[in-house]
Amino acid sequence: MGLPAQDGVQLHWKEDGNPDGQPIVFSNSLGTDLGLWDGVVARLPANFRIIRYDTRGHGQSPCPPGPYTIAGLSGDIEGLLDQLGVKDCIFVGVSLGGMIGQHLAIARPDLIHAMLLSNTAPKMGSASAWQARIDAIQHGGLLEIADAVMERWFSPAFLKKPDLPKWRDMLIATQARGYVACCQAISTADLSETSKALSLPVLVMAGQADLACPVEDVRALASLISGATLKLMPGVGHLPSVEAPAEFTAHLCDFIEENTNV
């Protein structure tokens, strides 16, 4: 499905569950699409209204020219939720999706009741590191970085599993222009002041085997947010919804139960 974002982009999105239930909105990471959440959605109770979308430049969403900004990516989902009539959702964002959530919760507090921020931080990486990645992609496409990204995303144990190629293929299927434009958005973002101002219930999650967003960076995010809870996932990398979907879903459901009337 598609609905226009703030500049007319038709974001690709999918809805599952009960259309009258508590809305949960999932925002994907750099280099993935809404299929990132399949293992979680399959385990959620059917009474939730589950909304997933592809960030612009990813999956089946359009790929307008970059660079993008976190504010602009936040505006995309803001427009979608307004048109879907969603208020007071549980927002779940991983990595780039978590940065989008940090911005959206301040820009439009009416849209988000509580938030799970997974494997993310107010600032991720250095401008020079992101530029090096962009240069590699412009030289050889996403194939140039695919193996290195897998090693940053996943724990050593998961790297040996037979379904690893599925996630490598998802990365490679991302449009290079959209990936680069989102790299530019991340490289220029520092949401520290934004995160300090968050005043809603927040669960922050970190994978202890995450090389893309190390535990110390995620812990720093949790320390910025008044009242935030930090959960560490041993042996899990950057994408816990892939490596440990049952554990991730259990934490999410406990968090929802603690912070809503569901």
Side-chain angles (χ1 to χ4, degrees):
M1 297 182 182
L3 286 174
Q6 84 280 1
D7 59 357
V9 167
Q10 300 283 322
L11 290 178
H12 176 250
W13 60 284
K14 182 177 182 180
E15 183 169 346
D16 296 281
N18 178 3
D20 297 318
Q22 165 68 53
I24 308 176
V25 177
F26 291 91
S27 186
N28 58 289
S29 65
L30 179 69
T32 65
D33 60 36
L34 57 75
L36 176 69
W37 304 107
D38 285 348
V40 175
V41 170
R43 291 171 168 83
L44 283 172
N47 58 309
F48 292 117
R49 181 184 185 188
I50 303 164
I51 297 166
R52 297 178 275 170
Y53 74 100
D54 293 333
T55 301
R56 68 166 60 201
H58 287 66
Q60 296 181 52
S61 285
C63 186
Y68 304 159
T69 64
I70 297 299
L73 297 174
S74 171
D76 287 347
I77 184 59
E78 177 183 345
L80 176 61
L81 296 182
D82 278 344
Q83 292 180 69
L84 292 176
V86 171
K87 300 283 187 183
D88 294 321
C89 77
I90 308 298
F91 190 94
V92 182
V94 61
S95 193
L96 171 59
M99 299 185 87
I100 292 169
Q102 291 171 63
H103 186 280
L104 182 61
I106 294 297
R108 288 290 305 275
D110 59 310
L111 297 180
I112 302 180
H113 172 74
M115 188 159 53
L116 191 162
L117 300 175
S118 173
N119 302 72
T120 190
K123 182 173 178 59
M124 294 181 64
S126 66
S128 59
W130 286 112
Q131 188 58 53
R133 188 181 302 197
I134 290 168
D135 291 344
I137 294 166
Q138 291 174 337
H139 175 264
L142 285 165
L143 275 173
E144 187 83 4
I145 66 166
D147 291 336
V149 169
M150 294 301 103
E151 292 177 1
R152 289 173 62 81
W153 275 3
F154 296 118
S155 67
F158 192 86
L159 288 171
K160 299 175 184 177
K161 292 196 171 182
D163 53 347
L164 178 69
K166 170 183 175 180
W167 305 104
R168 188 176 186 275
D169 290 345
M170 181 180 285
L171 170 68
I172 294 169
T174 305
Q175 294 189 58
R177 184 171 74 175
Y179 189 99
V180 165
C182 285
C183 287
Q184 292 166 326
I186 298 170
S187 72
T188 58
D190 186 343
L191 301 170
S192 299
E193 294 303 315
T194 299
S195 298
K196 285 180 185 177
L198 291 169
S199 59
L200 71 170
V202 176
L203 172 61
V204 180
M205 294 181 62
Q208 292 190 301
D210 187 353
L211 299 182
C213 188
V215 170
E216 56 266 27
D217 292 348
V218 184
R219 193 187 301 275
L221 170 62
S223 69
L224 285 175
I225 303 171
S226 177
T229 300
L230 176 66
K231 294 279 187 184
L232 302 180
M233 300 183 70
V236 175
H238 191 56
L239 303 176
S241 63
V242 173
E243 288 201 51
E247 183 181 354
F248 186 92
T249 307
H251 287 314
L252 173 58
C253 289
D254 288 346
F255 176 64
I256 293 172
E257 184 176 356
E258 292 167 4
N259 291 284
T260 70
N261 295 319
V262 176

